[in-house]
Amino acid sequence: MDKKLTDLREGNTGRVDKIVAGRGATKRLYEMGFNTGARIKIVKNDNGPVIVSLNGNKVALGRGLASKIVLGE
Amino acid sequence: MRNKRIALVGNPNSGKTTFFNGLTGANQHVGNWPGVTVEKKEGKFTHEGKEYDVIDLPGIYSLGAFSEDEVVAMEYILSDDADVIINIIDASNIERNLYLTTQLLEMGKKIILALNMVDEAEKRNIKFDIDKLSELLNAPVIPTVAHKGRGQDQIMEAVLEVLDQDKAHDNPLIYSGVVAHHIDHMEEIFKDQDLNYSPRWTAIKIVEGDPAVRKMLSEANLSPEAQQAIDEFYKYHSSDNFELEIVDSRYAFANKVAEQGVIRPEVEVVTRSDKIDKILTNKYIGIPAFALIMLLAFQITFAIGEELLGGFAADLIEGLGVLVESLLISISAPDWLVAFVVDGAISGVGAVVEFVPLITVLYLLLGLLEDSGYMARAAYVWDDLMRSFGLQGKAFISMIIGFGCNVPGIMSARTLDSRKDRMITMLINPFMSCGAKLPIYSVFIAAFFPGKGGLVLFALYATGIIVALIMAKIFNNTLFKGEPSYFIMELPPYRLPIAKNVIRNMWNNVSGFIVRAGTIIFSVVTIMWFLAVVPGSVEPYSQYTLLGRIGTFLTPLFRPAGFGTWQESVALFAGIPAKEAVVGTLGMLYAGLYMEEGVQLVNAIQQHFTQLTAISYMVMVLLYTPCAAVLGIVAKETKSFKWPAFLAIYTFALGWVAAVVIYQVGSLLGFS
Ligand SMILES: Nc1nc2c(ncn2[C@@H]2O[C@H](COP(=O)(O)OP(=O)(O)OP(=O)(O)O)[C@@H](O)[C@H]2O)c(=O)[nH]1
Ligand SMILES: [Mg+2]
């Protein structure tokens, strides 16, 4: 059951399955820690950018970009 | 012999500049958000009589660059100029920081790892097995706390030791699978080529599809076979995601190192940051909270800087004036000298120096904001709104920096990924009212809005933000079309501002202000004074002097905006070299004009302006042509004279239109 990062609610977690964005954006996300299998926790998801936690460190992502991250179990 | 060169490399906000300042005694800007340093800085470190060059660089997440500041760091690292790299790592974010480390190890550079911010990691109950980390990474690892200097000596010992060795350690990261096969194959081909880098590294970069290395190789002197091998590789593998596989392998390695060398607590400690963020990043409270912080900052600036301390400074300068005047007369100095020193230098430059307490408080508060961690949150809460004006949240950070000074504000646009975002951000930055304009507003506030300083400033700064956003939208629909770039930004933990940082940032700005007063402002006022007393045959400081005639020629231009005397017109132009000169020039001219009566600058302004024209003048000052330093930095950043010329003209036109509209509409409505 794949889900977009923006579909998850606050407090939920998931692992990165793939990213469906342009080459540049995908690589940047990968290099910032959103690589295959990275465990992501949603800290904030309302209508602005999404805030996620990667190993306890917070990263803010614009909604457009966040919706391109597909999470699996 | 050339000094050995030590480069500081690491992720943004990991503490590189803090370490650099500690090591070299420099006073570079430190702040708690990613992207503070945007250019390469050099300093010196001396040990046992031997000098070493130390190089501070902008933060990077990887060796592939997306924005201009990252290009600076990447190009420097690839230039192979450094003899050793100190890789500064944020200990509480070790996996991501080690990702960059894997790339440095791959390059075969000599590296020392500074496991920085261990104090914070300790607070989060994260522990380290230093020996294990060092063993796995095949490089020295030393825990540090950069702002306290903890670990600095051990780092430097390790650096000196490594410098003596012939060769760097072997790279501990081993690729596997298809990727490894291609890398090995490429490495074999590059083995007998004349390259600047190791065949292994070049091979990895080719398989990774790194554009910078591809370009480098296309310019290198490769054999036709090698060139063909590269072309073929790209022909057949353009759709394979090797680059992402490589990233995954590096992260797998970083995760393995972290798993074995870092001991994390069972349950994550809920930090104070999380609690503060609940409020400051709330979707309803976010922007009002920002406005409130700003309003509070201006109220405090005015209450302390002007009402509490401003009087002392003014009295001090007045006292100094009287003292110098009597001194000059007692040694029977010539009249012109007395006039120059008293009316020109003291009334002019003094009118600026008076505001040292005011701007000191402003920069102190800005420094607190910068070191607190709020900047990244401001970017977050503004992202949505910025987006509807064609920009993204990160651009808001350069706007806030512009409140201190537009020059670093414009430079920080380097952190934006797209040229469009960057150009627009630079062209709207001058509407962010800088510290140098504060003295101008202050004299008008004292004359017409006493007791309401904080509110008036808030209104002016808010107007600046609104105009900036509208212009951004206009540019976005005309000169620079396109979507705003993606917003992605780390939110560092809130930190209690470190006194040393705040005072350093404040002092850098305040000393700059004082130096400017003694140099540029002094020169401008001197020239203006001279023009205002020649030719000797006419009444000095009158409209018949050279300056008076120039001003009189200009007044029709400003009459529709309500400020119709020649003094106000020339003062605006005097402000183009540096903004404080507006006050300096008015101070000098009015002092000359009202010499007999001994009228204060504030009273003179009350005679020359009304509430309405004071507002139109302040808005003109807020929006019109930025100072020469700003035009200069725009020329440098855009590598063109076209953009600063455009900036100078369009801001002037905009300021003029705004001032005219305010005056005309205000008059119609019966204000005066
Ligand atoms: N607690 C703690 N804070 C630190 C330490 N080192 C640096 N800081 C703080 O971390 C923040 C970032 O420091 P900088 O030195 O500006 O970081 P940088 O790596 O130069 O950042 P960029 O220039 O943005 O890449 C500042 O607020 C520092 O005061 C440390 O060892 N412990
Ligand atoms: Mg820095």
Side-chain angles (χ1 to χ4, degrees):
Chain A
M1 43 141 263
D2 281 356
K3 270 188 176 171
K4 286 193 282 186
L5 195 153
T6 39
D7 294 338
L8 257 63
R9 282 206 255 144
E10 283 168 28
N12 288 3
T13 58
R15 281 182 192 280
V16 176
D17 184 32
K18 60 174 184 273
I19 292 171
V20 281
R23 209 181 174 126
T26 306
K27 181 137 194 220
R28 157 105 321 179
L29 282 169
Y30 259 68
E31 295 195 311
M32 282 190 73
F34 296 85
N35 62 313
T36 320
R39 190 168 164 275
I40 292 177
K41 182 173 169 200
I42 312 290
V43 176
K44 195 166 192 64
N45 183 8
D46 37 43
N47 46 9
V50 182
I51 301 179
V52 302
S53 158
L54 280 171
N55 294 316
N57 299 291
K58 288 184 199 165
V59 181
L61 289 167
R63 282 200 92 70
L65 193 57
S67 66
K68 299 194 157 80
I69 301 177
V70 180
L71 300 181
E73 263 315 283
Chain B
M1 208 181 74
R2 143 188 190 283
N3 287 347
K4 290 282 184 205
R5 290 164 72 74
I6 306 166
L8 300 175
V9 177
N11 279 188
N13 212 41
S14 58
K16 298 175 295 300
T17 306
T18 309
F19 194 86
F20 177 80
N21 286 341
L23 200 59
T24 63
N27 280 312
Q28 291 302 331
H29 194 171
V30 164
N32 187 18
W33 80 90
V36 180
T37 308
V38 294
E39 53 181 346
K40 181 178 134 222
K41 292 277 182 198
E42 297 205 6
K44 302 242 181 274
F45 164 76
T46 319
H47 180 77
E48 292 178 351
K50 217 166 147 186
E51 212 174 55
Y52 299 84
D53 295 338
V54 186
I55 295 113
D56 184 27
L57 294 166
I60 45 174
Y61 292 109
S62 80
L63 282 184
F66 289 84
S67 53
E68 290 298 319
D69 58 328
E70 293 173 338
V71 169
V72 171
M74 181 194 76
E75 284 186 345
Y76 177 76
I77 297 167
L78 294 188
S79 78
D80 214 20
D81 171 76
D83 296 295
V84 56
I85 287 175
I86 303 178
N87 181 197
I88 312 265
I89 288 190
D90 175 355
S92 46
N93 197 353
I94 201 157
E95 288 88 350
R96 214 228 13 247
N97 278 257
L98 283 180
Y99 177 79
L100 176 65
T101 311
T102 62
Q103 289 188 303
L104 299 174
L105 290 168
E106 249 159 40
M107 276 190 80
K109 297 291 308 180
K110 293 178 178 174
I111 77 169
I112 312 287
L113 276 87
L115 193 60
N116 195 32
M117 307 195 178
V118 281
D119 55 332
E120 272 182 7
E122 276 159 17
K123 270 191 217 137
R124 282 164 71 173
N125 266 336
I126 306 175
K127 295 191 176 63
F128 303 94
D129 182 343
I130 299 292
D131 294 334
K132 191 82 199 163
L133 286 173
S134 179
E135 176 199 318
L136 292 168
L137 292 163
N138 223 349
V141 178
I142 292 146
T144 60
V145 179
H147 65 284
K148 297 227 166 95
R150 200 171 118 194
Q152 184 183 305
D153 292 345
Q154 291 93 308
I155 292 271
M156 293 323 286
E157 259 168 47
V159 165
L160 299 182
E161 197 171 308
V162 168
L163 275 174
D164 283 338
Q165 294 162 3
D166 304 335
K167 204 176 133 298
H169 296 289
D170 289 332
N171 177 19
L173 196 171
I174 295 153
Y175 290 98
S176 59
V178 189
V179 168
H181 163 77
H182 286 296
I183 293 174
D184 291 344
H185 176 65
M186 280 292 163
E187 184 183 5
E188 206 52 46
I189 290 168
F190 290 140
K191 265 207 172 116
D192 42 43
Q193 300 294 318
D194 177 25
L195 294 170
N196 289 335
Y197 303 98
S198 77
R200 178 89 192 155
W201 186 77
T202 317
I204 296 172
K205 284 287 148 183
I206 284 298
V207 177
E208 201 185 347
D210 187 303
V213 174
R214 257 181 100 169
K215 185 162 158 281
M216 226 165 55
L217 284 183
S218 68
E219 288 156 7
N221 206 359
L222 291 184
S223 70
E225 295 80 45
Q227 195 59 56
Q228 198 191 346
I230 296 174
D231 293 343
E232 264 175 22
F233 178 80
Y234 283 122
K235 198 163 132 208
Y236 294 117
H237 299 290
S238 60
S239 58
D240 289 325
N241 271 333
F242 289 148
E243 57 176 345
L244 299 184
E245 273 181 46
I246 289 182
V247 178
D248 281 340
S249 308
R250 291 183 185 137
Y251 261 108
F253 175 78
N255 289 336
K256 187 188 87 186
V257 173
E259 237 163 61
Q260 299 185 27
V262 183
I263 305 114
R264 286 220 164 77
E266 293 287 316
V267 264
E268 259 178 42
V269 182
V270 176
T271 58
R272 203 176 26 185
S273 278
D274 301 330
K275 293 175 200 151
I276 303 175
D277 264 346
K278 280 242 150 27
I279 303 165
L280 289 182
T281 62
N282 178 287
K283 68 175 158 180
Y284 303 111
I285 306 175
I287 290 190
F290 172 83
L292 197 68
I293 291 174
M294 233 174 80
L295 179 61
L296 211 66
F298 292 129
Q299 294 287 12
I300 296 173
T301 302
F302 237 77
I304 299 180
E306 182 70 5
E307 280 148 21
L308 195 67
L309 303 172
F312 291 125
D315 292 346
L316 204 71
I317 286 164
E318 207 187 304
L320 188 75
V322 175
L323 194 76
V324 173
E325 186 175 5
S326 53
L327 201 78
L328 283 173
I329 293 172
S330 73
I331 59 162
S332 38
D335 285 351
W336 66 264
L337 185 65
V338 180
F340 169 68
V341 172
V342 175
D343 301 338
I346 293 181
S347 301
V349 176
V352 175
V353 175
E354 236 184 87
F355 293 101
V356 166
L358 185 69
I359 67 142
T360 304
V361 180
L362 176 79
Y363 285 119
L364 204 64
L365 295 176
L366 266 179
L368 287 174
L369 203 63
E370 291 188 350
D371 216 30
S372 67
Y374 181 70
M375 298 288 271
R377 272 73 185 183
Y380 167 84
V381 297
W382 278 83
D383 182 62
D384 250 8
L385 202 65
M386 293 291 281
R387 218 156 262 285
S388 50
F389 289 93
L391 286 172
Q392 58 131 309
K394 241 189 198 180
F396 199 71
I397 291 187
S398 71
M399 289 167 70
I400 302 181
I401 298 172
F403 283 152
C405 173
N406 295 151
V407 173
I410 285 168
M411 288 185 69
S412 78
R414 288 185 181 185
T415 59
L416 296 164
D417 290 354
S418 81
R419 183 183 119 86
K420 173 196 90 79
D421 283 10
R422 202 174 152 219
M423 287 300 303
I424 297 179
T425 304
M426 288 196 275
L427 291 177
I428 62 170
N429 203 274
F431 302 128
M432 301 295 109
S433 199
C434 72
K437 289 182 184 170
L438 214 48
I440 313 175
Y441 306 141
S442 301
V443 291
F444 282 91
I445 287 169
F448 291 105
F449 308 98
K452 299 199 194 76
L455 278 176
V456 173
L457 282 186
F458 178 76
L460 280 166
Y461 280 64
T463 307
I465 295 182
I466 293 166
V467 171
L469 292 180
I470 294 172
M471 286 316 296
K473 186 75 191 166
I474 293 175
F475 286 138
N476 199 52
N477 288 336
T478 53
L479 292 174
F480 306 101
K481 294 191 181 165
E483 287 297 305
S485 53
Y486 290 124
F487 175 60
I488 177 160
M489 182 164 220
E490 259 186 278
L491 302 179
Y494 290 99
R495 300 198 164 102
L496 208 57
I498 296 169
K500 211 166 30 170
N501 290 346
V502 177
I503 289 170
R504 178 192 308 114
N505 289 350
M506 180 206 81
W507 178 241
N508 283 348
N509 283 302
V510 172
S511 62
F513 182 87
I514 295 171
V515 167
R516 263 202 319 279
T519 52
I520 307 180
I521 309 301
F522 178 74
S523 314
V524 172
V525 170
T526 304
I527 294 169
M528 293 289 154
W529 177 81
F530 179 74
L531 293 175
V533 295
V534 291
S537 54
V538 303
E539 176 80 9
Y541 309 109
S542 72
Q543 70 195 86
Y544 306 107
T545 60
L546 202 51
L547 191 67
R549 277 185 237 164
I550 297 172
T552 310
F553 174 76
L554 292 169
T555 43
L557 176 63
F558 295 113
R559 202 158 289 140
F563 27 98
T565 69
W566 65 269
Q567 288 93 340
E568 287 97 71
S569 311
V570 289
L572 279 177
F573 283 90
I576 292 180
K579 292 293 149 196
E580 302 94 322
V582 173
V583 168
T585 304
L586 285 178
M588 182 269 291
L589 290 176
Y590 291 151
L593 192 65
Y594 299 108
M595 202 161 16
E596 261 76 88
E597 299 102 285
V599 171
Q600 298 281 323
L601 176 56
V602 169
N603 305 116
I605 283 180
Q606 280 166 341
Q607 293 189 22
H608 282 242
F609 288 84
T610 64
Q611 260 194 353
L612 183 61
T613 57
I615 294 174
S616 71
Y617 201 73
M618 285 194 287
V619 169
M620 178 80 192
V621 166
L622 169 73
L623 303 177
Y624 88 124
T625 308
C627 74
V630 170
L631 297 174
I633 195 72
V634 172
K636 190 170 156 228
E637 297 290 300
T638 59
K639 299 189 185 67
S640 110
F641 287 110
K642 191 180 84 190
W643 289 114
F646 171 73
L647 179 65
I649 294 165
Y650 105 81
T651 49
F652 191 93
L654 194 68
W656 185 86
V657 170
V660 170
V661 168
I662 288 172
Y663 178 67
Q664 297 296 340
V665 172
S667 301
L668 273 180
L669 297 176
F671 291 104
S672 66

